[in-house]
Amino acid sequence: MRPWLLLSAALLPGVAAAGHDVSLGVTAVTLTNGGVYNVTTPRFGLDAAYAYELDNWRFGGGLRWAPSGQGNLPVEVYARALLTTRLGRWRPAVGPELGVSGLPIIIPPQGGFPDDLSRKQAMQLGPAYVAMHAAPLRFVFQHFTVSALEVQWGTTLNQPGATLRLQVGLVHLGVLL
């Protein structure tokens, strides 16, 4: 028997358990440090994601675009590794996310604050972040996925704990390929 045929037969069960998921969703992101830069108004945006499902793991990443408000380039790029379980149609998932964000907004201080306060605040808001992502209301219907109220909580990597990142994925619709 040919070696490539043996290899494909050995890998076939793993391939059958794997899947590709492409989704598009609406999200709201809030970034705050509790100080002068204390923006509690969420930034709404679109989230395009890809995930490779292998057994109980979802590996993937995506791109977020949140054009509302002032600030840097309103784009985020991220990667995730989520642990999931299968309970009928219900497929909740949880795990870490690592990303680079252009979303932080620096608001010029008013009311007698030092001129260099914006620069000091910007140093706390580095572009790289780490977060814990949870999708408790994720469901699969044949070749389609629906997820609502995903929650993400995290901080920047340059000064962990100096800023809080809170994100709510309002709804994600996807297709299993």
Side-chain angles (χ1 to χ4, degrees), residues 74-96:
V75 174
E76 290 184 336
V77 178
Y78 61 89
R80 303 183 176 143
L82 303 177
L83 183 60
T84 186
T85 186
R86 300 169 195 265
L87 300 170
R89 295 188 188 281
W90 185 40
R91 307 280 167 83
V94 65

Side-chain angles (χ1 to χ4, degrees), residues 157-174:
L157 286 175
N158 64 334
Q159 289 186 1
T163 59
L164 170 67
R165 170 191 179 78
L166 180 61
Q167 177 182 328
V168 176
L170 302 175
V171 65
H172 278 83
L173 303 174

Side-chain angles (χ1 to χ4, degrees), residues 20-24 49-51 145 173-177:
H20 303 273
D21 182 13
V22 178
S23 65
L24 185 63
Y50 166 80
T145 61
L173 303 174
V175 176
L176 294 172
L177 305 175

Side-chain angles (χ1 to χ4, degrees), residues 109-126:
Q110 296 178 3
F113 292 105
D115 292 337
D116 66 342
L117 184 60
S118 292
R119 184 173 38 81
K120 289 181 180 179
Q121 294 290 315
M123 289 173 31
Q124 291 182 352
L125 301 174

Side-chain angles (χ1 to χ4, degrees), residues 13-168:
V15 173
H20 303 273
D21 182 13
V22 178
S23 65
L24 185 63
V26 178
T27 189
V29 180
T30 300
L31 303 163
T32 184
N33 72 355
V36 175
Y37 172 66
N38 194 6
V39 179
T40 57
T41 305
R43 292 182 74 166
F44 292 94
L46 296 176
D47 188 350
Y50 166 80
Y52 177 73
E53 295 187 12
L54 184 59
D55 294 328
N56 290 336
W57 288 96
R58 292 174 44 86
F59 301 103
L63 181 72
R64 279 187 205 99
W65 178 61
S68 62
Q70 309 167 8
N72 303 331
L73 179 66
V75 174
E76 290 184 336
V77 178
Y78 61 89
R80 303 183 176 143
L82 303 177
L83 183 60
T84 186
T85 186
R86 300 169 195 265
L87 300 170
R89 295 188 188 281
W90 185 40
R91 307 280 167 83
V94 65
E97 176 175 307
L98 183 64
V100 177
S101 177
L103 295 185
I105 304 168
I106 303 300
I107 297 175
Q110 296 178 3
F113 292 105
D115 292 337
D116 66 342
L117 184 60
S118 292
R119 184 173 38 81
K120 289 181 180 179
Q121 294 290 315
M123 289 173 31
Q124 291 182 352
L125 301 174
Y129 70 89
V130 64
M132 186 57 83
H133 185 88
L137 299 176
R138 184 173 172 272
F139 300 91
V140 174
F141 301 98
Q142 293 180 354
H143 295 288
F144 299 98
T145 61
V146 176
S147 182
L149 300 177
E150 296 180 3
V151 178
Q152 183 187 101
W153 178 74
T155 186
T156 56
L157 286 175
N158 64 334
Q159 289 186 1
T163 59
L164 170 67
R165 170 191 179 78
L166 180 61
Q167 177 182 328
V168 176

